[in-house]
Amino acid sequence: MTFEAVKQQEQQNIMPVYSRFQVALVSGKGATATDVNGKQYIDFASGIGVNSLGFCDPEWSAAVAKQAGTLQHISNLYYSPVQTAAAENLCRLSGMSKVFFANSGAEANECAVKLARKYGTDRLGAGRTEIVTLKNSFHGRTVTTLAATGQNEFHEYFAPLTTGFSYAEPNLRSVKNAVTEKTCAVMLELIQGEGGVVPMDKAFVKELRAFCTQRKILMMVDEVQTGVGRTGTFYSYQNYGVVPDVVTSAKGLASGLPLGACLCAEPFADVLGPGTHGSTFGGNPIACAGALVVMKRLAEPEFLKDVREKGNYFAEKLAEMHGVSSVRGMGLMLGAKPARGSVGEIAVKCVEHGLLILTAKDVLRLLPPLVVSKDEADKGLAILREVLDTLEP
Ligand SMILES: *Cc1c(COP(=O)(O)O)cnc(C)c1O
């Protein structure tokens, strides 16, 4: 099929909600993708931070194929050893007590919102159901997670949204002002991804932890983008030296299969009891088989150290580029602000030159697969430098 034929089929049959790059991809290996014409691309995007082990890691592909040929789905009416193994690994790597499996980031956050509201009602009193989130945050596209998202442009057209959310600036004074006698939780990303790769201040995160404990409200960290090794630790709160009460995860968790997770610390492990929540597909055996390979790999002694070193290498090389005015982020979650040109146009040019790259607000956003090789990194960085150098001053 030619690119034009694919594009036409898309336009005829798919709701026009996505603005896509003019490329149709058909295969990939590691951090290199191939399009319908056989042209290759270096991948600094991993989908959107999803393919943590890159395209078609042999061990991952074999485990997923084996599970697909053994037992693909059973529902949550029965026990699944693949699901329980994935849960055990995830609890161990996160330091959390229990997990609920969903299928996406938004669903993981829906579970966190339900857990917080039930916690508030059960243990703090009737009406303790409101949640404070941060301005410029992103928590998903369902009606409730849109309400949690502290960016007005996402709210347009979809009123009435779920009530019970208010938005604070990323500092303790503003959070304190937003917290009322109805608040049950504060939810935040430690590095705002869609908001432009904006890391939270370390002192603020520690103060917030202490404040939530003191007020008996939940500290809920949305690790959907920052999680699963992305920032050089399994979850980004491990970089910040805090332990949240609730953690949500999705994107990189199963390296390309739909799996979300809402984890919680021991005191909250039984807040959501029988019949209060569920998911038809949640914790699907094939997705869990993929996640098991991801977690096995990330638990290897050098893996996360290697992510941190590669992250430093990327950050250094980006900062050296004349076309880049500043770099922010952590590990392999980086934002590079171009000195000139619009990020959208730069990303389009990068794709034309064989580099898949993301944008978020005013930055070029890099979320390469955690297994990106030095050679692929250098190739992709060379393409980016060349594109930035050819921009009109
Ligand atoms: C992507 C993202 C979500 C939404 O995840 P979906 O799987 O698209 O529902 C939620 N929170 C954060 C921080 C994200 O980056």
Side-chain angles (χ1 to χ4, degrees):
M1 226 175 162
T2 65
F3 170 70
E4 285 308 324
V6 177
K7 182 172 174 171
Q8 200 198 349
Q9 202 169 52
E10 196 265 4
Q11 285 174 340
Q12 268 173 24
N13 299 289
I14 296 182
M15 288 190 199
V17 300
Y18 300 111
S19 61
R20 300 178 198 260
F21 292 102
Q22 299 302 297
V23 178
L25 298 169
V26 293
S27 65
K29 196 78 209 153
T32 306
T34 304
D35 75 8
V36 282
N37 299 316
K39 180 179 164 183
Q40 292 199 323
Y41 300 80
I42 297 294
D43 179 22
F44 282 0
S46 317
I48 305 178
V50 166
N51 299 326
S52 29
L53 302 182
F55 294 113
C56 305
D57 172 86
E59 191 188 359
W60 178 91
S61 291
V64 167
K66 182 163 176 239
Q67 189 60 47
T70 307
L71 187 73
Q72 83 277 31
H73 171 84
I74 53 170
S75 89
N76 284 301
L77 294 171
Y78 314 100
Y79 292 93
S80 157
V82 201
Q83 190 187 84
T84 52
E88 196 270 330
N89 276 269
L90 197 50
C91 288
R92 183 166 36 77
L93 291 167
S94 64
M96 291 288 117
S97 174
K98 282 193 181 155
V99 59
F100 174 83
F101 283 121
N103 313 283
S104 66
E107 281 177 279
N109 286 337
E110 290 272 346
C111 177
V113 168
K114 284 179 70 173
L115 191 157
R117 286 181 167 191
K118 185 151 186 304
Y119 162 79
T121 309
D122 286 354
R123 303 201 193 164
L124 304 177
R128 289 293 296 269
T129 52
E130 295 192 359
I131 298 173
V132 174
T133 64
L134 297 188
K135 290 181 183 165
N136 196 47
S137 58
F138 181 80
H139 296 295
R141 300 269 194 175
T142 62
V143 175
T144 294
T145 57
L146 272 183
T149 293
Q151 300 187 59
N152 284 335
E153 66 257 38
F154 284 95
H155 297 175
E156 213 187 344
Y157 309 122
F158 304 112
L161 297 178
T162 304
T163 55
F165 290 92
S166 59
Y167 316 100
E169 300 286 347
N171 64 66
L172 194 67
R173 193 163 41 87
S174 180
V175 171
K176 273 184 172 168
N177 282 335
V179 167
T180 69
E181 70 289 345
K182 291 183 177 169
T183 306
C184 62
V186 176
M187 178 160 77
L188 77 165
E189 305 150 89
L190 298 183
I191 303 175
Q192 293 180 332
E194 304 305 312
V197 191
V198 182
M200 294 296 117
D201 178 62
K202 286 203 169 161
F204 162 59
V205 172
K206 289 207 154 152
E207 287 163 6
L208 179 65
R209 173 63 282 183
F211 172 72
C212 289
T213 304
Q214 184 217 332
R215 300 289 288 262
K216 296 190 168 58
I217 58 181
L218 301 182
M219 180 185 189
M220 310 204 294
V221 176
D222 179 343
E223 294 265 7
V224 171
Q225 192 160 148
T226 49
V228 195
R230 179 55 56 193
T231 69
T233 50
F234 191 79
Y235 282 124
S236 71
Y237 57 80
Q238 293 158 331
N239 281 318
Y240 279 82
V242 297
V243 179
D245 301 311
V246 174
V247 178
T248 58
S249 189
K251 289 193 167 88
L253 188 51
S255 195
L257 293 171
L259 185 66
C262 174
L263 293 136
C264 69
E266 202 277 324
F268 316 104
D270 298 321
V271 170
L272 291 176
T276 58
H277 199 42
S279 164
T280 297
F281 286 112
N284 165 276
I286 300 173
C288 285
L292 272 173
V293 176
V294 172
M295 291 188 278
K296 174 180 171 249
R297 204 68 71 73
L298 265 67
E300 287 171 6
E302 298 294 299
F303 193 99
L304 290 171
K305 182 166 164 261
D306 190 47
V307 170
R308 292 192 289 272
E309 282 170 9
K310 284 190 283 199
N312 291 339
Y313 181 76
F314 267 90
E316 241 168 65
K317 294 287 157 190
L318 289 166
E320 278 167 23
M321 291 182 194
H322 293 302
V324 170
S325 66
S326 63
V327 182
R328 54 190 191 234
M330 219 178 263
L332 286 173
M333 177 171 186
L334 294 167
K337 196 170 172 179
R340 54 184 172 275
S342 83
V343 290
E345 280 169 38
I346 295 168
V348 167
K349 284 199 175 134
C350 283
V351 172
E352 285 167 7
H353 286 75
L355 172 66
L356 308 178
I357 194 166
L358 304 159
T359 66
K361 296 282 152 76
D362 62 344
V363 296
L364 295 161
R365 178 172 42 148
L366 285 78
L367 302 172
L370 305 181
V371 298
V372 64
S373 69
K374 170 95 172 19
D375 182 52
E376 288 165 326
D378 286 337
K379 274 189 191 151
L381 288 164
I383 294 170
L384 177 60
R385 186 186 310 110
E386 191 185 301
V387 166
L388 291 171
D389 285 347
T390 55
L391 292 175
E392 296 293 322

